Structures are given as structure tokens and as C-alpha cells.
Amino acid sequence: MAAAKNRSCGPFPSSPSLSSSLVLLFSVFSLCQSSFSAETSGRNLSVELNPGSPSAPPGGDLLHVRSVGDNDTLHFLFCSQGAPTLLLVHTNSSSSSVTVNWTQFEARNASGSLKVEPESSILYSSAIVFSRLLEYDDVNDTAEPTSDLFPPYELQDFSWSRLNLSGPSSLLCGAAAGFSNGTLCLQLSVFASEGRDQSWPRLLHTANSSQLRVWLDGVPPRATRSRFLLELQAVGGANPLSRVEVLRSIDDEFTPSIFKVSQWVSSLNGSSGVLGFLQWKPVAYRRADPALEFATPCRHSDPRPQSGARTAASSALIRGFYAEPQAFGLNASFGLAGEPFYNSTKFLSWTVLLGVGSPPLDAFSPLVLSLMAVGLGTPMILLLMGGACVCLRKRAAASYEPIN
Ligand SMILES: *[C@@H]1O[C@H](CO)[C@@H](O)[C@H](O)[C@H]1NC(C)=O
Ligand SMILES: *[C@@H]1O[C@H](CO)[C@@H](O)[C@H](O)[C@H]1NC(C)=O
Ligand SMILES: *[C@@H]1O[C@H](CO)[C@@H](O)[C@H](O)[C@H]1NC(C)=O
Ligand SMILES: *[C@@H]1O[C@H](CO)[C@@H](O)[C@H](O)[C@H]1NC(C)=O
Ligand SMILES: *[C@@H]1O[C@H](CO)[C@@H](O)[C@H](O)[C@H]1NC(C)=O
Ligand SMILES: *[C@@H]1O[C@H](CO)[C@@H](O)[C@H](O)[C@H]1NC(C)=O
Ligand SMILES: *[C@@H]1O[C@H](CO)[C@@H](O)[C@H](O)[C@H]1NC(C)=O
Ligand SMILES: *[C@@H]1O[C@H](CO)[C@@H](O)[C@H](O)[C@H]1NC(C)=O
Ligand SMILES: *[C@@H]1O[C@H](CO)[C@@H](O)[C@H](O)[C@H]1NC(C)=O
Ligand SMILES: *[C@@H]1O[C@H](CO)[C@@H](O)[C@H](O)[C@H]1NC(C)=O
Ligand SMILES: *[C@@H]1O[C@H](CO)[C@@H](O)[C@H](O)[C@H]1NC(C)=O
Ligand SMILES: *[C@@H]1O[C@H](CO)[C@@H](O)[C@H](O)[C@H]1NC(C)=O
């Protein structure tokens, strides 16, 4: 009798109960996941290069990706005439369109050469201009760009390749004088549904965002201890991206060892709702095939108001679309004191998302959740069962005592 009691009620729960609770946990997670992905509506994408232009424009390409939802459209416009620029226009109609007057657009001296029509359907627009690449000689390894800056590379003066399209993703590479065979490349990806990129930092995206990966490959540094900064300008009509929030993020299996996510957001005055965002994880990679040891931290300066007129002069897309552009600028800087210099690999890549609405936020992945469930759940089950056993034994002992 005692032996039978011990078997059913020992310190270790019998395996069927543990495995059945695991199966239950897993099915709950997969249920959650499938209902979640069913909720997020997809979009239909169509890609058009140089809309309305009979031939390839000599000044550079203009890519238009139309992303149509049930009752709205996102127009992604990516252009290399001048500094590379990505413009996102959100309309409340599923039939809005983009028209370009190419003679005006290429002359770059008047706004209104690129229109999203009907104009009354525009809900929100935002653009990001990659304006300058800065390099400094970090002689004392402090990673502070102080006085030892080299003359900046103006991205509007680069010679840019034609856009290389493959599906809804496109690649633009360019070089400045003195780059020899080095390049600065930007890869744009637009998405029909929610997901995650294959390469690190594996940012979570939705159909309301696009991803830009920027990398610097084989550029000859002007000093052995060179580090780089990238200057970005955010442009909007009424509500440009104006403040950067740094949120805690979880250290998950997708971006190991990174605990933060930064988002440069635009919001209406006094309202907490976010209209649009540029989001990134504060990490860059020193190799094209990233591994943890090639991750390098990235920092940003505070956004500062910039001259909208100067920004418009540097980018055909800004000039053509915005009548009164407002701009904020910031610098992203790569590497910290003590980190290897650019010459260690002569490679640096960084990834951002540009989108409308609220930025996507990482949740614990199902794998991590189930590991946590097993890690926390098993001791709980053991404790509960242990407690139950002790109780049962005490009661059994109490009830048998008089008989003995
Ligand atoms: C996408 O296209 C398919 C087929 O053309 C259509 O059935 C569907 O409704 C479209 N979805 C959206 C969001 O426009
Ligand atoms: C889209 O508009 C139609 C009617 O115009 C409406 O019935 C439908 O609920 C709208 N869908 C969404 C997702 O807002
Ligand atoms: C484009 O702009 C030019 C110069 O302003 C103008 O002469 C021409 O008519 C415009 N073309 C169209 C199709 O509107
Ligand atoms: C823009 O430039 C073109 C040619 O460069 C010129 O013909 C036109 O008058 C200019 N327009 C304005 C508004 O300055
Ligand atoms: C949405 O579109 C309609 C026309 O279809 C327009 O009258 C209305 O002003 C638009 N709403 C907003 C908020 O822009
Ligand atoms: C580097 O350190 C030396 C000695 O401490 C100092 O004189 C020099 O100004 C520093 N250079 C920079 C750029 O900080
Ligand atoms: C275009 O991109 C594909 C892969 O993205 C690459 O294989 C191909 O070589 C590129 N073509 C040019 C002309 O750069
Ligand atoms: C994308 O934007 C549309 C329109 O604002 C919104 O209805 C939808 O919920 C958004 N989707 C996600 C995944 O944020
Ligand atoms: C650039 O050229 C050098 C030799 O001149 C070569 O070793 C290097 O791999 C090239 N880099 C790229 C990115 O093509
Ligand atoms: C990079 O520069 C440092 C500092 O001068 C030097 O020690 C190192 O050898 C260089 N590395 C490469 C790969 O050239
Ligand atoms: C936004 O609100 C602040 C005070 O909360 C005010 O100083 C500022 O002028 C407002 N800006 C606009 C564009 O309304
Ligand atoms: C970026 O850094 C450079 C050098 O420190 C500075 O001149 C420039 O104003 C900065 N840009 C912004 C937008 O803060």
C-alpha cells in the first residue's frame, strides 16, 4: 500500500502529466499565433519604375511601390536624384495614384512635379533623406566625433547605379570620388504582410512599414582609426518625425544581446498617438554575414530642426512633393570606445523601418515563451504536486493512526 502511494505521488511527476501540459501549452501558443496573423490584413503590392517616363531618366531612377489595403493605399517612393530619399504617402482611398511631370521633376526647381491624387485623400506623409556620410579619426579611441572630422561625403554628389529590382525589393549602390571600388548601398524592401527579415537584426515588420538596409562596403578609410556617422533628415509637411523614443526591448532569439529599440516618431501636438515612425535597433554589423561578435553598438544624436529649403534642394523627391517641407536631422554613429575600427572589416551595415501608424513591437517569440513556460512551469507543477503529496500523506497518516 505504501509502495503504491509512493509511485503515484513521488517527488517527480509522472511523464504523461508533464508532456500533456506541454502539449497544452504549445497548442495555446499556436492558437494565439494563428488568430494573431489572421487578424493582420495583408496588402497587395505593385511595383513601377519611373512612372510615366518614356525612358530611363538620366538623373537617376524613381521607384513607386503601391501597397493597397482594403480602404487605403500606401505609396512608397524611392529616388536617387540627389540624396537618396524614401517618401511614404498614406491615402484613405484604394485608388489613389502618383503622377510625375518629368520635365519639372528633373529641373528640381519647383514643387508640385510629383503629385499623389486625389490630394484630398492624403492622410499622412513622411520622408527620410540620407544626406551625409561623416568620417572622423578616433585617435584616442573615445568614439566621440569632435574636431577630427574629415570633409563629409555629400550623398547628393555620389554617382548612383540604376535601381536593381527583384520583386518588392530594390538595391541602389553609389560611390563618391575616392571610394575606389568601395560602395554605399541601400536596399529597400516593402512587405505585403507581417514578418521578419532573414538577416540580422531581423526587425519585425508589418504591411504598414518598409525596411531600408544601408551598408558601407570596402570604402577606403582616411585614417586607420576611422569611425563613421550617417546623417539623416526626416521631412514632413505638417508633422515631421521630431522626437526619438528609446524603449526597452526584449533580448530574444532574433536580435541577441540588444535590449533597446529606438523610434523617431511624429505625433500630433498633445496627442500620444503616433502618426509615423522610423524605427531601428541600436546595432550595426561589421560583416555582411553577421554573427554576434560582429555586432557593434549604434547611437543617435537628438533630432534638430533643419532648413527645409536646403533639404529640398538636395533631393528631387522632396522638392517635387513638398511645397513647404519641414525637416529634422540626426546623426547615427557607429561604434563605441574600445570597439574595433572600421578598417578591421571595412564593412558596416545598419537597418531601419519607415512606416505609418504605431511601430511594431517585439513580443516574446513562441520559442522563448515555451522555454519560459517549461522553465517556470515545471518547478510550479513539481511544487504543487509535492505539496499535494505532503497533504495526502499527512491525511493518510492521520486517518491510519488510530487503526495502527
Ligand atoms: C488583393 O488582390 C486580390 C486578387 O486580385 C483580391 O482578391 C484582394 O481583395 C486584394 N486585397 C486587397 C487588400 O486589396
Ligand atoms: C471599407 O469600406 C467599406 C465601405 O466603404 C466598409 O464597409 C468596410 O468596413 C471598410 N473596411 C475597413 C477595414 O475599414
Ligand atoms: C510639365 O511641366 C512643364 C513645365 O512647367 C509644362 O510645360 C508641361 O505642360 C507639363 N506637362 C504636363 C503633362 O503637365
Ligand atoms: C526651372 O528650370 C528650367 C530649366 O532649368 C527653367 O526653364 C524654368 O524656368 C525654371 N523654373 C522656375 C520656376 O524657376
Ligand atoms: C477621405 O476621402 C474622401 C474622399 O473619398 C475625402 O472627402 C476625405 O476628406 C478623406 N478624409 C481625410 C481624412 O482625408
Ligand atoms: C588625444 O589625447 C591627447 C593626449 O591626451 C590630447 O592631447 C589630444 O587632444 C586628444 N585628441 C583628441 C582628438 O581628443
Ligand atoms: C541585382 O541584384 C541581384 C540580387 O539582388 C544580383 O544578383 C545582381 O547581380 C544585381 N545586378 C546588378 C546589375 O547589380
Ligand atoms: C496598418 O494601417 C491600417 C490603416 O491605418 C490599419 O487599419 C492597420 O491596422 C495597420 N496594420 C498594422 C499591422 O499595424
Ligand atoms: C576592392 O579591390 C581590392 C583590390 O584592389 C580587393 O581586394 C577588394 O576585395 C575589392 N573590394 C570590393 C568590395 O570589391
Ligand atoms: C586598423 O588600424 C589599426 C590601428 O592603426 C591597426 O593596428 C590595424 O592593423 C588596422 N587593421 C587593418 C585590418 O588594417
Ligand atoms: C505644441 O505644444 C507646445 C506646448 O505644449 C507649444 O509650445 C507649441 O507651439 C505647439 N506646436 C504646435 C505646432 O502647435
Ligand atoms: C552631424 O554631425 C556633424 C558633425 O558633428 C554635424 O556637423 C552635423 O550638424 C550633425 N547633424 C545633425 C543633423 O545633427
Side-chain angles (χ1 to χ4, degrees):
M1 173 121 189
K5 231 194 299 180
N6 267 350
R7 200 183 300 148
S8 63
C9 201
F12 298 105
S14 54
S15 50
S17 68
L18 179 61
S19 56
S20 60
S21 57
L22 278 184
V23 166
L24 192 73
L25 278 172
F26 273 113
S27 42
V28 168
F29 291 139
S30 42
L31 265 180
C32 288
Q33 264 214 311
S34 53
S35 63
F36 184 57
S37 42
E39 247 175 61
T40 60
S41 58
R43 291 179 172 274
N44 284 345
L45 302 181
S46 57
V47 178
E48 196 181 4
L49 191 59
N50 302 317
S53 175
S55 58
D61 286 323
L62 171 66
L63 176 74
H64 175 213
V65 182
R66 235 173 142 250
S67 174
V68 182
D70 285 336
N71 285 341
D72 69 342
T73 306
L74 292 171
H75 297 276
F76 294 94
L77 293 144
F78 186 44
C79 184
S80 62
Q81 295 209 6
T85 303
L86 176 62
L87 168 66
L88 167 52
V89 183
H90 188 201
T91 69
N92 75 355
S93 148
S94 52
S95 60
S96 57
S97 62
V98 167
T99 54
V100 185
N101 180 329
W102 280 96
T103 35
Q104 283 183 330
F105 189 78
E106 296 206 85
R108 278 212 242 164
N109 57 5
S111 72
S113 58
L114 184 145
K115 288 199 176 84
V116 174
E117 286 171 325
E119 232 160 304
S120 65
S121 70
I122 298 176
L123 297 169
Y124 172 76
S125 72
S126 173
I128 197 88
V129 181
F130 291 81
S131 49
R132 297 196 294 173
L133 178 70
L134 300 134
E135 178 181 359
Y136 64 100
D137 187 2
D138 193 7
V139 276
N140 292 343
D141 194 8
T142 56
E144 290 301 332
T146 46
S147 53
D148 287 317
L149 278 159
F150 291 104
Y153 295 110
E154 299 281 345
L155 268 60
Q156 60 174 317
D157 299 333
F158 276 36
S159 50
W160 295 103
S161 66
R162 307 305 312 186
L163 274 178
N164 179 356
L165 303 186
S166 53
S169 129
S170 60
L171 177 65
L172 174 69
C173 288
F179 269 23
S180 64
N181 61 354
T183 51
L184 184 144
C185 295
L186 296 106
Q187 185 171 36
L188 172 72
S189 310
V190 179
F191 311 102
S193 59
E194 187 177 275
R196 225 176 252 285
D197 197 35
Q198 279 312 301
S199 57
W200 283 12
R202 303 208 60 194
L203 295 180
L204 179 68
H205 59 247
T206 67
N208 288 351
S209 55
S210 58
Q211 176 177 288
L212 265 173
R213 181 167 170 254
V214 193
W215 67 90
L216 205 56
D217 187 6
V219 173
R222 287 175 277 185
T224 48
R225 305 191 137 219
S226 275
R227 296 191 195 276
F228 284 91
L229 308 168
L230 188 61
E231 188 184 64
L232 311 180
Q233 315 263 348
V235 185
N239 302 290
L241 309 179
S242 55
R243 63 189 161 89
V244 180
E245 300 173 337
V246 179
L247 306 180
R248 279 174 178 282
S249 176
I250 49 181
D251 173 35
D252 63 8
E253 71 201 81
F254 300 113
T255 323
S257 83
I258 305 301
F259 298 95
K260 288 194 174 137
V261 60
S262 301
Q263 42 208 40
W264 191 3
V265 297
S266 106
S267 49
L268 287 170
N269 214 5
S271 117
S272 57
V274 170
L275 299 171
F277 62 87
L278 187 80
Q279 185 192 56
W280 64 90
K281 290 213 173 162
V283 62
Y285 294 97
R286 279 183 277 107
R287 281 274 292 269
D289 49 341
L292 201 49
E293 62 265 38
F294 297 113
T296 194
C298 139
R299 293 169 298 165
H300 63 85
S301 62
D302 285 332
R304 292 205 312 228
Q306 307 281 305
S307 150
R310 188 148 6 107
T311 309
S314 72
S315 160
L317 201 44
I318 299 298
R319 168 69 81 214
F321 181 73
Y322 286 109
E324 286 175 0
Q326 289 192 42
F328 280 81
L330 64 69
N331 283 324
S333 71
F334 306 104
L336 292 182
E339 293 269 320
F341 299 102
Y342 176 76
N343 79 343
S344 67
T345 55
K346 294 200 171 68
F347 185 92
L348 204 53
S349 91
W350 184 54
T351 307
V352 298
L353 290 184
L354 179 73
V356 298
S358 299
L361 200 58
D362 269 315
F364 285 110
S365 69
L367 175 66
V368 172
L369 275 180
S370 39
L371 286 177
M372 273 173 32
V374 172
L376 296 175
T378 311
M380 283 303 282
I381 293 171
L382 290 181
L383 268 174
L384 286 176
M385 296 189 80
C389 275
V390 170
C391 272
L392 281 176
R393 279 185 179 213
K394 279 200 169 161
R395 288 181 72 184
S399 55
Y400 291 149
E401 231 160 18
I403 300 173
N404 279 357

